[in-house]
Amino acid sequence: MNSFVSVEPKLITKTMLTSLATIFFTSLIIAFSGAMMPGPLLTVTISESSKRGAMAGPLLITGHAILELLLITGLLLGLAPVLKHDMFFLISALLGGSIMFWMAWGMFRSLPTLSVNTQEGTERKGNLLVTGALMSLANPYWIIWWATIGIGYIFYSQTFGLPGIVFFFLGHITGDYIWYTAISTAVSKGKKLFTDQVYRILIGICGTFLVGFAVYLIMTAANNNL
């Protein structure tokens, strides 16, 4: 597959503004549909927000956004066939599963000492930007979404030149920011209602989900390549 056609800027007319607004809002709605689905990034957002406060969500999504911007650039340069290859899915699933196991182990290991009385912001282990990117990259279904639904939307958006791509990305990432900021804020504020036991159960559930998702990914990848 060849790279996409040029995305050079075009003269913006009133009709084009309407089209760009349509791209933005439909991209935002589609982003909501994906962001609201349970996944590793949502699980880590819940876990980190309970420890670090409401800024955990926006920081995780910023790492996620940087990775998506790089991926869009790659798709524009013709990366889509690579992402659709079975071997790429296998490698992504194995690496992603390993990362999720590692994250889950950290959650389980911290359970005995977790307390809701920890001062917000005192636990600074790990860079949330990097974690947001890793949790996205660790999920091969995120890559598949971009290699299928995402690439189709980029095909359409790039007919409006660079503004089309920009409005598509802004709409997509705005949906992610709205949802994950809301989740992070809710968890952070709700922490005041938790006992230590409830808090540890929540983190334990998050860790269990990561283990289950990791096992599912690895088994799916193995079955597809037998």
Side-chain angles (χ1 to χ4, degrees), residues 19 25 32 55 60 93-95 98 142 146 152 169 194 198 200:
S19 297
F25 286 109
F32 272 134
M55 282 304 297
L60 286 164
L94 293 176
L95 289 177
S98 299
W142 169 78
W146 276 103
F169 179 72
F194 293 166
V198 172
R200 291 168 185 170

Side-chain angles (χ1 to χ4, degrees), residues 82-93:
V82 177
L83 300 185
K84 293 180 179 180
H85 199 281
D86 289 342
M87 184 56 64
F88 185 88
F89 179 83
L90 175 62
I91 295 172
S92 177

Side-chain angles (χ1 to χ4, degrees), residues 165-198:
I165 299 297
V166 170
F167 273 71
F168 161 72
F169 179 72
L170 289 178
H172 179 83
I173 204 62
T174 296
D176 286 343
Y177 269 111
I178 291 174
W179 177 248
Y180 279 91
T181 298
I183 291 295
S184 190
T185 301
V187 171
S188 177
K189 299 302 181 183
K191 185 173 65 173
K192 297 177 181 179
L193 304 177
F194 293 166
T195 63
D196 284 353
Q197 183 178 7
V198 172

Side-chain angles (χ1 to χ4, degrees), residues 34-208:
M36 290 180 180
M37 294 298 293
L41 186 57
L42 180 61
T43 300
V44 172
T45 298
I46 294 172
S47 171
E48 293 297 328
S49 298
S50 63
K51 294 184 290 185
R52 305 199 196 190
M55 282 304 297
L59 287 173
L60 286 164
I61 287 301
T62 298
H64 171 82
I66 293 171
L67 183 64
E68 290 198 322
L69 187 58
L70 293 175
L71 181 60
I72 288 174
T73 301
L75 290 173
L76 289 170
L77 296 175
L79 186 62
V82 177
L83 300 185
K84 293 180 179 180
H85 199 281
D86 289 342
M87 184 56 64
F88 185 88
F89 179 83
L90 175 62
I91 295 172
S92 177
L94 293 176
L95 289 177
S98 299
I99 292 172
M100 289 180 209
F101 278 129
W102 174 71
M103 292 290 295
W105 167 245
M107 291 180 184
F108 291 139
R109 188 176 57 181
S110 68
L111 285 179
T113 58
L114 286 179
S115 173
V116 294
N117 294 318
T118 300
Q119 289 294 319
E120 186 173 293
T122 56
E123 295 190 39
R124 297 286 182 180
K125 296 181 181 179
N127 186 300
L128 290 180
L129 295 180
V130 175
T131 301
L134 280 177
M135 283 296 97
S136 302
L137 195 59
N139 185 357
Y141 292 108
W142 169 78
I143 298 174
I144 290 174
W145 187 93
W146 276 103
T148 53
I149 299 173
I151 203 173
Y153 225 107
I154 292 175
F155 262 127
Y156 172 72
S157 300
Q158 58 84 38
T159 61
F160 298 95
L162 183 60
I165 299 297
V166 170
F167 273 71
F168 161 72
F169 179 72
L170 289 178
H172 179 83
I173 204 62
T174 296
D176 286 343
Y177 269 111
I178 291 174
W179 177 248
Y180 279 91
T181 298
I183 291 295
S184 190
T185 301
V187 171
S188 177
K189 299 302 181 183
K191 185 173 65 173
K192 297 177 181 179
L193 304 177
F194 293 166
T195 63
D196 284 353
Q197 183 178 7
V198 172
Y199 179 36
R200 291 168 185 170
I201 290 174
L202 173 65
I203 300 304
I205 290 173
C206 289
T208 302

